[in-house]
Amino acid sequence: MPPFWKKSDSSLLAPGSMESEDSHVSSATVPSRKYAKYPPEVVSVDIIGYVKDSNNVRYSRDIGRSSKIGRFYVYQFGDTFCFNREGEFVGMTDNTCAVILEPSSEPANCVYRTLEDNQRVSALIPATNDEKCLPGQDHFMKFWSFGGILEDAHLDGYGWVYFEKSECVGQEMLPHGTGLARVNINEFGEICAYRVPGLLFNADEPRFGIFSSLDEGGYYYLWGHHGTDILLARVPHTGVQDRGAYEFWNGRGWISDWHYAAPVMNHMQHGAIYKSRLFGPGQGTNYIFIGVNSWADSCVMMGVAAQREGPFEFTNLFEAQGIDQKEGYKYCIYPHPWAFKEEEGELMVTWSENWPGGVVAAKVKFEMTAPWFSKTMPINHLRSAVRRHLQSGGPAGDISVACNVNAEVRGRYYAPGFAAHDGQEDSLHLWVEGASWYDVELAVVKMKQATKRWSAEAAAQMKAKMAEEVALRALAERKEEEEKKREKERRRRASGGARLLRQVKEKLARRRSDTNIGPPDLPGTSYFDWD
């Protein structure tokens, strides 16, 4: 496809050329949102405090990975040293999950909904009875989950979580592999998990789903360590429990054998990858990683990539600081983009202190650009072929690259004679956003020209298709008529032969009756054959 614009196209921006065909979709080019500058510039890091319990029970714990399931946001923690309301230690649970009560106003405030009788926190991923009864005082199983919970695509309140199973014998930890558990949360925020029997990946295989996970486009994308490398797998929503349904990224495409997978990053210890619009378009920043490397330097790292598969470009943002535990490195660094307004350059980041510390929450503020501009172009009235062409994403992507703008199809289609009323979703339109008024206006002009061309092409294709159908129909009719003629001729010939035979028989019969003689002695016949 040719480029959508070039510098000499400024003459196309004639006054009054942008009037809308749809009164429900604005046609004015107006100031839009701001974006964070890239490369990122951190303006401030404000410590909010510890991720605390609403019952004022002080827990020493780590990880602090957040996820959404159902209508709730939750935190997952690792080793949680549990205390009752009197401050007495009641035991340690290796994996716990707490519900965030007010995500928009108090993102660092959560509560455990499932406690045992002695107020010890229940494990999210439970051990079996046999695993609880291993011989020896320092012999037990441990279950950790760092990758977050993936929501079920079809059932509200259900999801999946990948966990790392290890066997602790004294001071030694023996990895067993990566397992899968089914997660459910009820209307009261009580959450539990049921382990799928067996393990998906053995101890010598990558720990897919343990590093990070993402739900997008009908697939679950799973990042996992294999040594110092981080590999990427994916599985369709319907095949989570089927080991054979998993595919692995090899740097060029998806394959069925992880041994040939290519790393998407390395030397990163903890973190999360998520899709973001923190930065403006055209900079290859669609996917963001926030985490910490494996060098134990407490640095909050940011990685950006245009695609899930990478490559990622990394930046050191700042050094994480402790509250009560000033000394020691900080680990389990995670982003929580749901907590603050990304469009204002805000992001909540958490990290874990060394024992007996907790999970620290901070509000990070990024330097912003000047306001961008946006414009809408109605497409509800276009031919269905053109609408489908736009909704496929290809043309909008071409505009984004050629004109350095964001371009998205929004709204819903309304049939002729119907329109969107107040409170309803806008009619189908193309939303264009760019850093300058010129880029936005020129992109819309080029898109209008392109849609006219596509509409003409679609009309020509439809006309050609109709002509082809008419020709095919005429050909079929001619063939049918010829077949009828041939059938009629076959019947005529068959009826003519039968009539001639009847006439011969009748003539011979009359002759026999007149002369009282037998049948003639014809070759190949006998008296008894004749009649």
Side-chain angles (χ1 to χ4, degrees):
M1 181 176 293
F4 278 88
W5 71 279
K6 50 180 183 281
K7 290 299 182 183
S8 60
D9 286 334
S10 58
S11 61
L12 295 171
L13 302 182
S17 61
M18 294 296 152
E19 295 182 0
S20 173
E21 293 91 339
D22 192 323
S23 60
H24 241 74
V25 181
S26 172
S27 65
T29 300
V30 297
S32 182
R33 58 167 285 182
K34 296 180 179 181
Y35 289 95
K37 288 183 177 180
Y38 189 81
E41 299 177 18
V42 176
V43 175
S44 61
V45 179
D46 298 325
I47 302 295
I48 300 173
Y50 286 112
V51 176
K52 60 183 180 180
D53 186 81
S54 62
N55 293 323
N56 293 321
V57 178
R58 175 66 187 272
Y59 295 99
S60 176
R61 54 195 177 183
D62 61 3
I63 300 184
R65 175 70 150 86
S66 68
S67 304
K68 182 180 181 296
I69 178 169
R71 63 183 183 88
F72 296 97
Y73 285 94
V74 298
Y75 282 116
Q76 286 178 264
F77 299 100
D79 291 342
T80 303
F81 293 84
C82 306
F83 299 84
N84 58 24
R85 290 184 176 84
E86 288 73 35
E88 300 171 337
F89 178 69
V90 293
M92 191 270 287
T93 305
D94 56 11
N95 72 95
T96 62
C97 189
V99 176
I100 303 169
L101 298 176
E102 299 291 340
S104 57
S105 58
E106 295 183 275
N109 192 11
C110 60
V111 64
Y112 289 115
R113 292 297 195 195
T114 52
L115 301 174
E116 297 177 1
D117 293 339
N118 63 349
Q119 297 182 26
R120 177 180 174 177
V121 182
S122 301
L124 173 64
I125 302 166
T128 64
N129 292 330
D130 292 340
E131 291 167 343
K132 293 177 181 178
C133 301
L134 297 176
Q137 184 176 0
D138 295 329
H139 189 193
F140 55 91
M141 288 294 182
K142 185 177 286 290
F143 304 93
W144 282 337
S145 176
F146 299 87
I149 296 172
L150 291 161
E151 281 196 280
D152 191 290
H154 306 290
L155 292 176
D156 187 45
Y158 285 84
W160 301 96
V161 63
Y162 292 81
F163 62 88
E164 180 181 356
K165 178 181 179 180
S166 300
E167 182 178 357
C168 295
V169 183
Q171 299 297 317
E172 188 177 6
M173 182 176 291
L174 306 173
H176 280 220
T178 302
L180 179 68
R182 183 68 158 156
V183 182
N184 172 239
I185 189 168
N186 64 21
E187 57 181 329
F188 305 107
E190 298 170 340
I191 189 168
C192 60
Y194 306 92
R195 288 163 54 185
V196 175
L199 295 172
L200 278 174
F201 300 97
N202 297 323
D204 59 344
E205 295 183 303
R207 294 175 290 166
F208 291 112
I210 301 300
F211 182 73
S212 187
S213 60
L214 181 66
D215 179 7
E216 190 175 26
Y219 284 88
Y220 294 130
Y221 290 86
L222 313 164
W223 288 263
H225 283 102
H226 189 240
T228 60
D229 293 331
I230 295 173
L231 308 181
L232 175 61
R234 73 175 185 179
V235 63
H237 290 161
T238 55
V240 179
Q241 301 182 60
D242 180 8
R243 176 64 174 78
Y246 286 74
E247 297 177 311
F248 313 97
W249 179 253
N250 71 347
R252 298 176 302 277
W254 296 97
I255 58 176
S256 57
D257 189 348
W258 71 263
H259 291 88
Y260 300 98
V264 296
M265 62 176 75
N266 50 45
H267 295 292
M268 291 294 164
Q269 192 63 32
H270 303 119
I273 298 166
Y274 64 102
K275 194 169 186 179
S276 171
R277 294 186 61 198
L278 178 63
F279 303 104
Q283 302 182 90
T285 58
N286 298 334
Y287 296 88
I288 291 181
F289 164 78
I290 297 290
V292 61
N293 59 38
S294 57
W295 309 124
D297 58 6
S298 303
C299 288
V300 178
M301 304 293 297
M302 171 182 279
V304 297
Q307 301 175 344
R308 293 174 297 263
E309 300 83 9
F312 284 84
E313 181 179 322
F314 294 97
T315 303
N316 186 345
L317 294 182
F318 60 92
E319 184 178 348
Q321 303 293 326
I323 298 179
D324 293 341
Q325 305 298 319
K326 302 290 186 182
E327 303 299 326
Y329 65 90
K330 310 304 180 286
Y331 62 103
C332 286
I333 297 177
Y334 292 103
H336 310 274
W338 50 266
F340 297 127
K341 296 180 179 179
E342 185 182 70
E343 62 272 19
E344 296 182 6
E346 299 173 347
L347 177 65
M348 189 171 89
V349 179
T350 60
W351 54 82
S352 297
E353 298 175 330
N354 279 325
W355 187 86
V359 176
V360 179
K363 183 178 184 179
V364 182
K365 178 73 175 177
F366 293 94
E367 184 70 31
M368 303 296 286
T369 64
W372 283 45
F373 294 86
S374 67
K375 188 181 186 69
T376 55
M377 169 185 156
I379 63 173
N380 194 83
H381 62 287
L382 298 177
R383 293 177 178 273
S384 59
V386 179
R387 293 197 307 270
R388 289 194 297 270
H389 192 40
L390 287 166
Q391 289 175 301
S392 67
D398 292 337
I399 288 182
S400 298
V401 174
C403 296
N404 196 28
V405 298
N406 278 330
E408 299 176 5
V409 175
R410 296 181 174 181
R412 56 165 293 188
Y413 172 72
Y414 290 92
F418 296 87
H421 300 289
D422 292 338
Q424 290 184 313
E425 190 176 3
D426 287 336
S427 58
L428 206 63
H429 62 278
L430 183 73
W431 177 82
V432 181
E433 181 189 49
S436 72
W437 177 91
Y438 177 86
D439 289 343
V440 173
E441 288 284 349
L442 195 54
V444 172
V445 169
K446 284 298 184 181
M447 178 53 73
K448 285 195 172 187
Q449 291 179 339
T451 53
K452 288 180 180 178
R453 184 174 70 250
W454 294 331
S455 184
E457 291 173 355
Q461 291 174 0
M462 180 64 69
K463 186 176 180 180
K465 186 176 181 181
M466 291 177 64
E468 183 181 1
E469 289 178 354
V470 170
L472 290 173
R473 193 179 300 115
L475 180 61
E477 290 175 355
R478 286 198 300 272
K479 288 183 177 180
E480 184 179 359
E481 186 65 27
E482 291 174 358
E483 182 62 29
K484 286 181 179 179
K485 289 180 179 180
R486 286 194 292 269
E487 180 65 22
K488 185 176 181 181
E489 180 64 18
R490 285 194 298 270
R491 290 181 178 178
R492 186 187 66 79
R493 291 179 179 180
S495 62
R499 187 168 56 253
L500 179 61
L501 183 60
R502 279 197 309 273
Q503 291 174 354
V504 171
K505 287 184 177 182
E506 291 173 357
K507 186 175 182 180
L508 291 175
R510 286 195 300 270
R511 184 179 177 184
R512 286 197 304 270
S513 62
D514 293 342
T515 60
N516 248 340
I517 61 174
D521 188 11
L522 297 178
T525 63
S526 68
Y527 178 85
F528 298 100
D529 292 331
W530 194 265
D531 189 358

